[in-house]
Structure formats: C-alpha cells, structure tokens
Amino acid sequence: MSDAEHPGTAEAEAADADHLAALSGLEAVESAVASVRERLGALAAKRAARPAEPVMPGGIAEVVHGEAEQQRVIEQLQREARKEVLIFVRPPYVATAGNPVQRERLAAGVGYRSLYETTALVYPGAADMPGFVEPGELARAVPSVPMKLMIVDAERALLPLSGSRDRSAVSSAGLLLLHRSVLVEALLELFEDRWLRGTPLRMPAPGTVGEEPGFPGFPELDEQLLSLLMSGLPDKAIASQLGISLRTLQRRIRSLMESTGTANRTQLAWFVAQQRLT
C-alpha cells in the first residue's frame, strides 16, 4: 500500500526526521557548552595559580601589565613631571633605546637625580656609550640599590612587582604605580638615604674632551676620572666616557697615585674620599 493510501505514515516519518535533527543539534550545543565550560575552568585554575594583584583602597595603587603599556606609563609620568624625577637605575630595562623623554624634560627645566647601581654602569652597551648620563642630570653611583624605582614630584612612584634580574620576568610581573600616600613618602625617604651614600658621577660635557691634551692642566677632568673610578666602572668604560685612550687613562691613574703618595687604586679612592670629607 502506498503512502498516499496512508498519509499518517509520511507525517510520522517526517516527524521522526525532525526529532532526530533536533537531537543532533542539541548534542552539538551541549558539546559546545561543555567545551566552553572546560575552557573557563582552565582559565579559572590558571588565574588562581597566579599571585593575587594588590588591592588597595582609595585608588592608592594600580598594576601596569604589558611591555608597551609599561613603556607608555614610564614616559607619561616623566612628561607630567613639574619639578623633579628621582630614579634608582639598575638592569634590566623595559626600554632598550635609553630614555629620550629624559632629555626633553631636562630641557624643559625638570630636575633629574639618578642613583646608578654599579651593575648599570657595566651593563652591556651602557657605560661604553659616551654620555650615558644626560647633560644636566645629577648622577651618583652605589654598589647596589634595593630595586628599580622612579619617583615623580614626590607624589607618584613606579616600581616593578618582581625583584628578578630577568627582563621578561620583570615585564610579565607588571609595574606597581603608587599614587600620593605614605608609601610614596617612605620610598622618598629611602631614595634620599641612599642618595647621600652615593659617589657623584662627574661626566665631561660633549665635545670638551680630547685624546691627549687636558690631563696635566685640567683638574676638572681628574675629578671626572676619579668619580668614575670610585664608582667601580672598568677602565675601558672610563676611557670611553672621557674620550681618551685606555693607555692615556692608565698613565694618568699612575700619575695620580704618585702625586697622592698612594700605592694602589684602593688607597687612591680612600685618599679622595677623605679629601672630600675634610
């Protein structure tokens, strides 16, 4: 008997096909939901494994993530500075091309005081580049600083959440931006305390130093040489900064030791330190 003679049979078969299609669609939706739920669970577990970001009331602090955003904040803080920028300088660095904004702000009358850790002076490519201390910047050196730090106008401070010496670790951990609070005041006191312990870095102005002339009759150049020597900078980097040959530098150091009656560089540094204290 044909379907035409039993119309209910065709309708039933069509209904069964629709039912099967609906079931198939439902299974696909359930599979998609399960996949999304699994993904959300994985993300939740990953987030739980990460250190919790500091939460402080009143907008005292915020965390800056991502190298591009970190670099933007570093530059923005300097551009917004009205009076003074204080910096603890030590590797690693977020930017690899120096700090061009500093030059702009110095020209605009903003003061910079930078305390260089010795590691920053011997960092590959840093101290060997003439003029790594910008003209107009007040710079000192110490054996070590407790962290990387920037304080702007005694109101805001920027420091890494990680104390690692690995650039990628510092960048991925994020930077902590502190707004005016007792925390910024404490960091300011820390900077001033370490600043007093630093050895002044006296750099020659660009174009003022020649190869051989100057040393016998330029006490200012000797000041710069001794300053760099006491900071722990290697001879090659000192010679590069002063714009003289390594041989000329070493000859002048021997001459200074003879004139001060000191037997080695340690005694020379001690003699210079005593002279500055008296």
Side-chain angles (χ1 to χ4, degrees):
M1 185 177 292
S2 66
D3 290 343
E5 293 175 334
H6 295 280
T9 301
E11 292 177 359
E13 291 178 351
D16 288 343
D18 289 342
H19 180 68
L20 291 173
L23 286 176
S24 178
L26 181 59
E27 289 175 356
V29 170
E30 289 177 342
S31 176
V33 170
S35 177
V36 171
R37 185 179 289 112
E38 182 180 351
R39 177 61 177 161
L40 288 174
L43 289 173
K46 185 176 181 180
R47 182 176 182 85
R50 291 178 57 188
E53 294 185 0
V55 177
M56 298 186 181
I60 292 176
E62 55 188 285
V63 178
V64 183
H65 288 296
E67 284 194 18
E69 181 63 11
Q70 290 168 10
Q71 184 61 34
R72 186 193 68 79
V73 171
I74 291 172
E75 294 180 357
Q76 178 182 334
L77 285 176
Q78 294 178 83
R79 289 195 169 99
E80 293 175 353
R82 304 182 306 277
K83 298 177 182 177
E84 186 177 46
V85 178
L86 311 176
I87 306 176
F88 279 162
V89 184
R90 82 175 196 185
Y93 305 110
V94 173
T96 57
N99 185 9
V101 177
Q102 179 178 346
R103 196 174 301 115
E104 299 172 10
R105 303 310 293 150
L106 282 165
V110 175
Y112 274 76
R113 282 193 285 153
S114 300
L115 190 62
Y116 288 81
E117 183 177 275
T118 302
T119 56
L121 303 178
V122 297
Y123 194 72
D128 290 330
M129 179 181 69
F132 74 96
V133 173
E134 292 289 347
E137 172 187 357
L138 298 179
R140 295 187 179 185
V142 288
S144 67
V145 294
M147 68 192 83
K148 293 170 65 68
L149 173 68
M150 175 186 290
I151 303 175
V152 177
D153 290 338
E155 296 175 352
R156 290 179 291 176
L158 188 67
L159 62 152
L161 284 171
S162 170
S164 172
R165 298 282 179 157
D166 179 72
R167 182 173 179 270
S168 61
V170 171
S171 177
S172 60
L175 300 180
L176 182 63
L177 175 59
L178 296 172
H179 299 280
R180 179 180 288 180
S181 63
V182 67
L183 298 174
V184 175
E185 293 175 4
L187 289 171
L188 185 60
E189 287 193 21
L190 173 65
F191 180 90
E192 296 295 358
D193 176 71
R194 295 303 176 95
W195 177 259
L196 291 175
R197 307 181 194 182
T199 300
L201 288 173
R202 294 181 172 88
M203 298 298 182
T208 61
V209 180
E211 174 56 38
E212 288 292 340
F215 267 120
F218 285 84
E220 180 181 350
L221 204 57
D222 281 343
E223 277 288 311
Q224 293 161 357
L225 184 160
L226 291 169
S227 170
L228 295 169
L229 185 67
M230 293 178 67
S231 73
L233 209 60
D235 286 0
K236 181 181 177 182
I238 295 175
S240 175
Q241 289 297 318
L242 295 176
I244 60 175
S245 69
L246 182 60
R247 183 177 179 181
T248 298
L249 171 70
Q250 293 171 340
R251 185 167 63 248
R252 186 53 187 168
I253 291 175
R254 288 194 297 270
S255 176
L256 287 170
M257 289 166 53
E258 291 173 1
S259 64
T260 56
T262 53
N264 51 51
R265 296 182 182 211
T266 301
Q267 291 183 8
L268 177 62
W270 183 87
F271 177 87
V272 173
Q274 290 299 310
Q275 291 295 108
R276 289 175 177 175
L277 290 174
T278 57

